[in-house]
């Protein structure tokens, strides 16, 4: 099995991809970006992503990061994407479009895989939360390097408002906040996360990680906070990684029966 996988990062404004060497976490060719079609329906996005596959004349495995909850290949939410994605089997859709095997995961989980393997989370034990501040807020939670998939902590409610509206990069742009104001909002959000999770480390990804010297003076949080180090490549590298290693965790089809005593003896107790 080759260690080269095509990573594709699907976002609200751009679809980006590049072949990735999974041993080094580096790109094997320059990243290719196409604006996300509008409306970003499943058929339109699949056709655009196929342009990336064709651009690299790709014939192998593909990993895709997608900005929503993805369980067993099925898209389950649609915060910042077209509502018609909900319930769509994205894995099958992309596989039919490309004629190639696809692994589909949440975009923040993908970025988390990359930061844990090659970036700020490399060799970090304990509980680590990657928080990506972009169009939305994505989170990826790891314990001793193992992912708890599909956390949606960007939608935590803070003072009666979705955190995404208070601390994402798009909220900053919309409201034309200074770094101080944005940093203050991010601090409030991270401190709420701290109170609930008591993580060992927060890694901040998205645009703010590139300009960390501007954000850092305004970030206050009891948990240690560091910037992501793979910048805008984490999404692509992590999507490719998701197609390998232990891959995205599988969900059990049937939930286990709860509180059911297994034996007659147990029932009598
Ligand atoms: C979505 C997440 C996603 C994040 C970043 C949020 O609106 O609910 O699933 O990871 O945006 O794209």
């Amino acid at each position: 099995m080759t260690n080269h996988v095509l990573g594709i990062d699907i976002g609200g404004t751009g679809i980006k991809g590049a072949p990735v060497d999974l041993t080094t976490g580096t790109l094997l060719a320059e990243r290719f970006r196409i604006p996300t079609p509008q409306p970003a329906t499943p058929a339109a996005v699949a056709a655009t992503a196929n342009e990336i596959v064709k651009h690299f004349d790709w014939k192998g495995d593909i990993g895709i990061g997608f900005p929503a909850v993805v369980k067993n290949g099925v898209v389950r939410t649609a915060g910042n994407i077209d509502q018609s994605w909900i319930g769509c089997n994205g894995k099958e859709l992309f596989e039919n479009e490309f004629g190639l095997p696809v692994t589909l995961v949440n975009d923040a989980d993908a970025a988390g895989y990359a930061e844990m393997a090659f970036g700020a989370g490399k060799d970090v034990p304990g509980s680590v939360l990657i928080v990506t501040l972009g169009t939305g807020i994505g989170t990826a939670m790891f314990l001793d390097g193992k992912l708890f998939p599909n956390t949606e902590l960007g939608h935590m409610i803070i003072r009666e408002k979705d955190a995404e509206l208070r601390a994402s990069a798009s909220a900053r742009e919309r409201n034309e906040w200074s770094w101080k104001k944005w940093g203050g909002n991010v601090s409030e959000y991270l401190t709420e996360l701290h109170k609930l999770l008591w993580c060992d480390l927060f890694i901040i990804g998205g645009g703010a990680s590139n300009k960390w010297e501007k954000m850092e003076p305004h970030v206050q949080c009891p948990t240690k906070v560091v910037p992501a180090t793979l910048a805008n490549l984490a999404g692509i590298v992590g999507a490719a990684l998701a197609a390998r290693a232990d891959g995205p965790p599988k969900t059990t089809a049937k939930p286990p029966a709860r509180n059911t005593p297994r034996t007659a003896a147990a029932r009598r107790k």
Side-chain angles (χ1 to χ4, degrees):
M1 190 182 272
T2 157
N3 244 357
H4 295 175
V5 171
L6 181 66
I8 299 182
D9 183 16
I10 296 183
T13 54
I15 300 181
K16 300 142 259 173
V20 177
D21 181 335
L22 299 184
T23 316
T24 55
T26 51
L27 304 194
L28 293 157
E30 200 179 325
R31 166 187 102 120
F32 184 59
R33 180 187 189 278
I34 308 179
T36 306
Q38 299 300 338
T41 57
V45 169
T48 305
N50 201 20
E51 294 302 311
I52 295 187
V53 177
K54 286 195 222 148
H55 174 83
F56 293 107
D57 194 20
W58 194 254
K59 301 278 184 269
D61 291 345
I62 299 175
I64 301 183
F66 194 79
V69 170
V70 180
K71 286 185 82 96
N72 298 335
V74 179
V75 176
R76 304 295 295 274
T77 62
N80 292 304
I81 50 163
D82 198 86
Q83 296 296 306
S84 57
W85 276 99
I86 294 181
C88 171
N89 190 322
K91 174 183 161 66
E92 274 177 24
L93 172 83
F94 288 115
E95 286 187 337
N96 290 339
E97 182 79 25
F98 308 156
L100 294 167
V102 170
T103 302
L104 186 70
V105 294
N106 170 265
D107 58 352
D109 286 351
Y113 278 134
E115 286 297 329
M116 294 305 288
F118 301 110
K122 189 169 188 307
D123 299 327
V124 178
S127 49
V128 179
L129 188 75
I130 288 92
V131 178
T132 62
L133 305 176
T135 309
I137 296 182
T139 54
M141 189 156 73
F142 288 82
L143 180 61
D144 291 335
K146 180 107 179 124
L147 176 73
F148 183 116
N150 285 310
T151 55
E152 285 286 319
L153 301 172
H155 295 297
M156 202 161 89
I157 302 299
I158 297 186
R159 290 183 288 110
E160 296 175 14
K161 209 163 156 181
D162 193 318
E164 207 167 83
L165 300 172
R166 294 193 182 278
S168 62
S170 60
R172 182 204 179 207
E173 272 166 41
R174 255 192 328 272
N175 297 294
E176 298 179 2
W177 287 329
S178 63
W179 283 95
K180 186 173 176 201
K181 169 75 180 156
W182 189 29
N185 284 7
V186 169
S187 298
E188 180 186 31
Y189 169 57
L190 294 179
T191 302
E192 287 303 315
L193 287 174
H194 161 80
K195 284 191 215 159
L196 296 176
L197 297 174
W198 285 80
C199 285
D200 297 311
L201 181 68
F202 288 151
I203 299 175
I204 309 300
S209 64
N210 290 342
K211 299 195 175 147
W212 191 244
E213 70 291 349
K214 298 200 171 167
M215 176 66 107
E216 190 176 22
H218 311 295
V219 173
Q220 286 178 349
C221 177
T223 301
K224 184 177 176 194
V225 184
V226 297
T229 56
L230 297 179
N232 56 6
L233 296 186
I236 293 175
V237 172
L241 277 174
R244 286 288 195 282
D246 57 350
K250 303 281 176 288
T251 316
T252 43
K254 277 195 218 145
R258 271 179 289 159
N259 302 327
T260 316
R262 272 170 298 165
T263 61
R267 262 196 304 274
R268 278 194 297 277
K269 275 189 186 161

